[in-house]
Amino acid sequence: MIPSPIVATIDFAADGARHGFLRLPYSRDDSAWGSVMIPITVIRNGSGPTALLTGGNHGDEYEGPIALFDLARTLDPATVSGTVIIVPALNYPAFRAATRTSPIDKVNLNRAFPGAPDGTVTQKIADYVQRALLPMADLVLDFHSGGRTLDFLPFCAAHLLPNPEQEARAFAAVEAFAAPFSVRMLEIDNVGMFDTAAEEMGKVFVTTELGGGGTARAATVAIAKRGTRNVLAHLGILSGEAEPAPEPTRWLDMPSGDCFVLSEDEGLMEPMVDLGGAVAAGDVVARIHPVTRAGLAPVELRARLDGLLVARHFPGLVKAGDCAAVVAVAL
């Protein structure tokens, strides 16, 4: 197989804290022999499990990068038993551009796995993660939030898996994260996802949705910081006790595509239920007002499940095919 063009500027096997880059050659108009320099930190102390912590898989989601840039600076190697690999902004071009997809090739990193060493910039990043980083990891914690187009209740999640032992380990890590909400998720579009790549290699994979709107809040950043250290303590990498959440986590289930309320029309969205609100099947969760002229009746979007509203479209204007709302079932 063609080797990856990405070169790590740090030694993954050496003890201590090392800060460097994943250097990806990228020749362009403003730098003929230039590179994409993806920040990475590796903190290692002897033998033990390895955790891979990633943020910025989508470039407009910020709780993960904030928590991981902070962790890279503050985590004391003396408190670690094993290895922590921290990539705060995995899709670095998208992160710098504040966009979901890369401005270089318009590829969504979270749909690009397993990637290709001779593909686009984003495909090369996915290939390196698949072939170099994932084999080292026992657990992957990949941070997400809603970006500029969605807003979520803050939750940590893992997927329903065919391997019950692997699934149990993933949900144990979710519980250790101690987010306000914990979700058992059946992914309806898992082709090319980082999640799928890790899970097919037998790794424990944990993810989050911690807000949205293309920004971060003090509360959601605090959840990310606390949850990261709790997962490391759960794995036995970090010494000390996990920090309990202010309130016990509430478990939710996303069992099918019926959780997703999609708009078939474009227009101005009027939310009828706020995040965290209880809904019953058939309830109107949003109305889409036509905006081409006045006097037209809005289209009603209805829930197909009983549960809680866990996500909603963030911008006021929607297009046909947009996800307007997500309902999860309380367990």
Side-chain angles (χ1 to χ4, degrees):
M1 183 178 291
I2 300 172
S4 172
I6 294 178
V7 175
T9 67
I10 54 176
D11 182 359
F12 287 93
D15 279 355
R18 294 166 314 288
H19 310 282
F21 300 94
L22 303 176
R23 183 175 62 81
L24 169 57
Y26 171 49
S27 179
R28 55 194 189 270
D29 289 340
D30 64 345
S31 186
W33 284 2
S35 295
V36 175
M37 304 291 281
I38 303 170
I40 184 172
T41 290
V42 177
I43 297 172
R44 180 182 174 93
N45 185 16
S47 61
T50 296
L52 172 60
L53 312 178
T54 56
N57 190 328
H58 296 132
D60 59 351
E61 302 172 2
Y62 296 109
E63 283 84 0
I66 293 170
L68 295 183
F69 275 117
D70 186 69
L71 185 71
R73 178 181 61 85
T74 60
L75 185 58
D76 182 358
T79 66
V80 168
S81 297
T83 304
V84 183
I85 303 170
I86 304 171
V87 190
L90 191 60
N91 191 346
Y92 195 64
F95 173 74
R96 293 302 300 270
T99 55
R100 181 175 180 85
T101 63
S102 173
I104 296 172
D105 54 21
K106 301 302 181 183
V107 174
N108 178 349
L109 176 58
N110 211 31
R111 299 296 185 276
F113 285 83
D118 55 352
T120 67
V121 164
T122 305
Q123 291 171 327
K124 290 173 180 176
I125 294 172
D127 170 74
Y128 182 84
V129 173
Q130 176 98 29
R131 290 200 285 157
L133 297 185
L134 276 179
M136 291 188 280
D138 297 294
L139 177 143
V140 181
L141 173 55
D142 183 42
F143 280 99
H144 287 266
S145 59
R148 292 188 294 176
T149 64
L150 290 170
D151 195 15
F152 283 89
L153 288 181
F155 67 75
C156 185
H159 293 115
L160 301 173
L161 299 172
N163 182 327
E165 189 273 335
Q166 182 186 8
E167 179 185 286
R169 288 188 291 131
F171 286 125
V174 169
E175 187 162 20
F177 188 97
F181 295 88
S182 298
V183 176
R184 296 170 56 87
M185 185 180 295
L186 178 66
E187 194 68 56
I188 63 170
D189 178 25
N190 66 354
V191 176
M193 292 184 71
F194 187 18
D195 318 41
T196 305
E199 289 160 355
E200 288 180 346
M201 295 175 69
K203 309 298 181 179
V204 174
F205 189 93
V206 177
T207 189
T208 68
E209 297 289 358
L210 293 178
T215 187
R217 296 183 289 113
T220 53
V221 170
I223 292 166
K225 289 182 176 182
R226 182 184 68 237
T228 302
R229 289 182 175 269
N230 283 352
V231 169
L232 293 177
H234 167 76
L235 199 60
I237 291 177
L238 192 60
S239 59
E241 297 294 325
E243 180 184 348
E247 300 289 339
T249 191
R250 296 176 61 186
W251 280 91
L252 304 172
D253 189 17
M254 292 176 60
S256 71
D258 285 343
C259 296
F260 299 87
V261 181
L262 305 180
S263 177
E264 296 181 356
D265 300 272
E266 65 173 307
L268 177 64
M269 190 178 93
E270 176 189 1
M272 303 300 290
V273 182
D274 286 329
L275 286 178
V279 299
D283 284 356
V284 177
V285 295
R287 301 199 300 174
I288 309 301
H289 294 269
V291 294
T292 54
R293 61 177 298 164
L296 300 178
V299 176
E300 295 181 336
L301 303 183
R302 298 179 181 271
R304 291 183 287 177
L305 296 170
D306 298 342
L308 297 180
L309 193 79
V310 296
R312 69 175 185 91
H313 193 267
F314 189 77
L317 296 176
V318 299
K319 301 182 291 295
D322 282 350
C323 180
V326 181
V327 176
V329 179
L331 294 175

